[in-house]
Structures are given as structure tokens and as C-alpha cells.
Amino acid sequence: MTAVTDFLLNRSSEPRLESPAPDPATLDRAFACAARAPDHALLRPWRYLVVEGEGLEALGELFASTCANNSDEKEIEKLRRAPLRAPMVIVGIASPKTHPKVPEIEQVMSAAAGMSFIEIALQDAGYGVMWRTGGVAYHSSVHAGLGLEEHEQIVGFLYTGTVSAPKPAVPRPGVDEFVRHWP
């Protein structure tokens, strides 16, 4: 196999991230990779928001606003601080188009593939990433606060920055545990 395969076999999510975040040229290259995601009918059913600096605090407030009035203050503070775990958060948004031959689910999968391509490109450039969702990704007030249209949905929050301390290797399943030949 190739260096690409070796890279994929060694990639991991990195939860401990610090500055610096990717520079504009690196980000542009990563987004260019996202545009290479499988995309039936070339609908480009995705878009991305880059959140940095004071925007991270605003995103934290938006996350905290999803808590009910009777929520535990500790839970609210955890949501408020979540975006501050990295110097940059990229919000991946599926933006499906109406098309007679391309169902919405295929378009959402295209957006998710694009997020994965961004993740791989940023790791290849030497940055760490952690793809997260959680309840905030599906909450209508977060969608409204980020300016999503009615038909759009969040496919993930990609936390990115420089790895401050690598995490221990995660055991992976053997191929025989999840692959079968049919019939």
C-alpha cells in the first residue's frame, strides 16, 4: 500500500489542542480537499463556518443556551467552555438541494465525507483534530444562532489546533470483526 494508507492507519482524534490553529493557506487547501468529496450530480451540498477568537466564546454561549432553565450550572459551564478546547472550530453544514435523482441522505453523506477530508488534510499538515457533535449539533437554537436555513443540518464541529499532548493509542477492531463477504 501507499503512504496515504499508512497515514490513515495511524490517524487519531486529538482532544488536547492549543494555538496555533491552521493558517489561511492551510485552511484553503483543506477546504479544497473537502470539495473533492463524492458529490452525486455535483450539487455541492455543504458549507463550512470557521470559528476563532471571540467567536469561540460566542459559540460557547450558544451551546450553553441549549440548556433548560433547571439545568445544573456545571452542565451549563461545560457547554460554555466546550469550544475553548481548541483555537479553531470548523462547523460542517449539510445544505441539501432539491434534486429528482439525489436523495437528501446522499447529500448529507457528501457533507460528512467533506468534513472527513478536511480532518485528514489538517492532520497531514501537522495539526490535531477532534470531530464532535453532541446534542448541540441538533438543537434548533444552535442552528438559528449559526444562521442555518430550515433545510440545513450540522454534520459536526471539527475542533482543530496544535496537539499539546498526544493521547495514548486507541485499540482498533480487527477487520474480521466488522467485514463479512456476501452471499
Side-chain angles (χ1 to χ4, degrees):
M1 298 261 176
T2 68
V4 173
T5 303
D6 289 339
F7 175 80
L8 290 171
L9 289 170
N10 290 298
R11 73 144 297 285
S12 69
S13 295
E14 296 292 344
R16 294 175 203 74
L17 302 168
E18 62 186 14
S19 292
D23 59 84
T26 300
L27 271 182
D28 284 351
R29 192 156 169 88
F31 289 128
C33 289
R36 301 297 299 207
D39 178 12
H40 189 184
L42 301 176
L43 298 175
R44 316 265 190 303
W46 19 254
R47 64 187 185 93
Y48 304 93
L49 301 175
V50 177
V51 183
E52 298 180 89
E54 292 177 8
L56 295 170
E57 291 177 15
L59 185 59
E61 291 301 325
L62 192 55
F63 286 3
S65 74
T66 65
C67 289
N69 290 338
N70 60 350
S71 293
D72 176 9
E73 188 58 40
K74 196 173 183 178
E75 177 186 353
I76 295 170
E77 190 58 25
K78 182 179 177 183
L79 287 170
R80 184 174 283 126
R81 297 188 49 72
L84 303 177
R85 293 183 281 195
M88 177 185 287
V89 176
I90 298 169
V91 185
I93 301 167
S95 187
K97 314 296 188 269
T98 302
H99 193 280
K101 294 183 180 179
V102 185
E104 182 176 319
I105 186 64
E106 286 186 23
Q107 297 181 56
V108 172
M109 289 188 291
S110 177
M115 277 287 279
S116 190
F117 286 10
I118 293 168
E119 177 182 34
I120 291 166
L122 290 175
Q123 286 188 314
D124 186 47
Y127 294 95
V129 296
M130 174 66 80
W131 184 338
R132 297 190 178 271
T133 52
V136 294
Y138 311 105
H139 203 283
S140 60
S141 66
V142 172
H143 290 195
L146 292 175
L148 271 67
E149 295 180 25
E150 183 72 28
H151 70 286
E152 294 181 317
Q153 60 188 290
I154 293 171
V155 294
F157 299 97
L158 192 63
Y159 290 68
T160 188
T162 300
V163 176
S164 60
K167 70 175 190 174
V170 175
R172 303 294 180 177
V175 173
D176 61 333
E177 294 179 50
F178 61 92
V179 176
R180 300 287 182 267
H181 291 270
W182 186 86

